[in-house]
Amino acid sequence: MRYSAFSIIRNALSGNRNWKPAWRQPDPKPHYDVIIVGGGGHGLATAYYLAKEFGVRNIAVLEKGYLGSGNVGRNTTIVRSNYMLPGNEPFYEFSMKLWEGLEQDLNYNAMLSQRGIINLFHNDGQRDAYIRRGNAMWMEGVPAELLDRAALKKMLPYLNFDHARFPIIGGLLQKRGGTARHDAVAWGFGRAADKHGVDLIQNCEVTGIRRENGVVTGVETTRGFIGCAKLGLAAAGNTSRVGQMAGLKLPIESHVLQAFVTEGLKPAIDHVITYGAGHFYISQSDKGGLVFGAEIDGYNSYAQRGNLATVEHVMGEG
């Protein structure tokens, strides 16, 4: 079923009884050409593009919970390509261009909002660093704009420009940056991948990886053994733990990043704003909640819960 204004009207007239499920609920097959571990944004996107762009049809995505129940459903939703390093900037700009056509490609509203992202700077050193970043962006053909204090006051009059320790003297703006609805991204990729024949297997945790002569032949799961020719790992912070099942020691450290969402408020913040002095960032969701956070926890962890010390630290930075 293709989503459109016409389909909304048609189903409204039928009492909304004819909507079809967004994706199938298949049982696992004995063998797949490709298995992807992790039903989040990266796993679902990988499956979708393998099927759409490369014609691979016998694919399964294995998710230990429900689709979008991991990190993709609990992040700060920021979309940007305002990086500096030569390898990073073109990579993220290619991603930005995918974002700009994603909703039409998936036929799904990911609620992409290109409201602009502003990186504030508070001293001459940070100003020079953001000038360098802006120039690096322009060298890759990515527009950036350096804003002085007067321009920022006009755009963001509610900020404390005269903070005694961290006065705001300017900022770097990427107008094409913004936010997206994180779980809608997972649902859109899942629906589109299913349309291309990808099996989305939920509540199927990988408990082991079977190898023969150093070659992966399949995975042990809570729903039995599933064979595969190729295996991809897209389990976010748990990727290193899953990799250990195949004897891989990946150069990955997992840290908790605590973010916060308030109750719905009247519109107040039109942009994504980051503070260069403390790495604090904030935006306002389409539902009205303020979404904000700061640094990662300083120690390695696989937990999905925070701690009060970091809560206090984030609130202090805000």
Side-chain angles (χ1 to χ4, degrees), residues 27-308:
D27 291 324
K29 299 177 185 176
H31 189 276
Y32 290 93
D33 294 335
V34 177
I35 286 179
I36 298 168
V37 180
H42 290 99
L44 294 169
T46 300
Y48 170 70
Y49 289 117
L50 280 176
K52 177 177 179 286
E53 302 294 339
F54 299 97
V56 183
R57 289 291 181 264
N58 192 24
I59 304 174
V61 176
L62 307 184
E63 168 56 46
K64 68 178 181 180
Y66 57 88
L67 295 187
S69 60
N71 287 7
V72 72
R74 57 186 81 208
N75 61 70
T76 51
T77 77
I78 298 172
V79 177
R80 62 190 178 99
S81 61
N82 59 345
Y83 292 81
M84 186 180 71
L85 296 179
N88 282 6
E89 182 55 36
F91 176 85
Y92 285 104
E93 176 59 17
F94 181 80
S95 175
M96 177 66 77
K97 291 176 179 177
L98 289 177
W99 275 108
E100 290 171 331
L102 185 67
E103 292 169 316
Q104 291 73 27
D105 189 24
L106 300 182
N107 182 226
Y108 202 90
N109 182 14
M111 300 175 72
L112 176 66
S113 173
Q114 292 180 282
R115 61 188 67 183
I117 180 168
I118 302 173
N119 302 115
L120 303 178
F121 53 83
H122 311 271
N123 55 53
D124 292 345
Q126 289 182 345
R127 177 201 60 205
D128 293 345
Y130 281 134
I131 290 174
R132 183 183 177 193
R133 179 185 292 196
N135 288 336
M137 292 169 63
W138 275 109
M139 289 176 66
E140 297 293 342
V142 181
E145 183 178 348
L146 194 71
L147 304 175
D148 61 15
R149 183 182 173 97
L152 275 178
K153 276 193 171 183
K154 186 176 181 180
M155 293 178 64
L156 312 172
Y158 47 82
L159 294 182
N160 181 4
F161 284 82
D162 297 313
H163 189 280
R165 186 177 181 187
F166 300 117
I168 300 171
I169 62 176
L172 181 69
L173 167 65
Q174 184 186 24
K175 291 183 178 180
R176 291 166 57 233
T179 63
R181 174 70 183 269
H182 41 43
D183 41 13
V185 174
W187 300 334
F189 271 121
R191 177 175 175 269
D194 176 84
K195 183 178 178 181
H196 285 281
V198 176
D199 282 357
L200 308 178
I201 314 297
Q202 302 179 83
N203 301 305
C204 183
E205 183 176 1
V206 173
T207 58
I209 298 176
R210 188 179 296 183
R211 293 178 294 163
E212 295 181 7
N213 299 320
V215 177
V216 171
T217 59
V219 292
E220 304 286 352
T221 78
T222 52
R223 299 180 65 173
F225 175 78
I226 308 173
C228 67
K230 301 289 184 181
L231 178 65
L233 305 182
N238 282 307
T239 296
S240 56
R241 300 172 77 179
V242 180
Q244 288 177 349
M245 300 177 186
L248 299 176
K249 187 175 182 179
L250 301 176
I252 298 174
E253 287 188 355
S254 296
H255 294 257
V256 173
L257 172 60
Q258 297 187 61
F260 304 84
V261 183
T262 71
E263 62 183 355
L265 304 172
K266 291 183 178 180
I269 299 178
D270 297 328
H271 307 83
V272 179
I273 304 170
T274 76
Y275 288 78
H279 197 252
F280 181 85
Y281 48 88
I282 188 169
S283 63
Q284 189 166 16
S285 74
D286 291 328
K287 295 190 294 184
L290 299 181
V291 183
F292 57 93
E295 290 98 342
I296 61 175
D297 284 9
Y299 54 88
N300 297 356
S301 173
Y302 295 104
Q304 288 186 317
R305 62 182 184 274
N307 61 75
L308 292 177

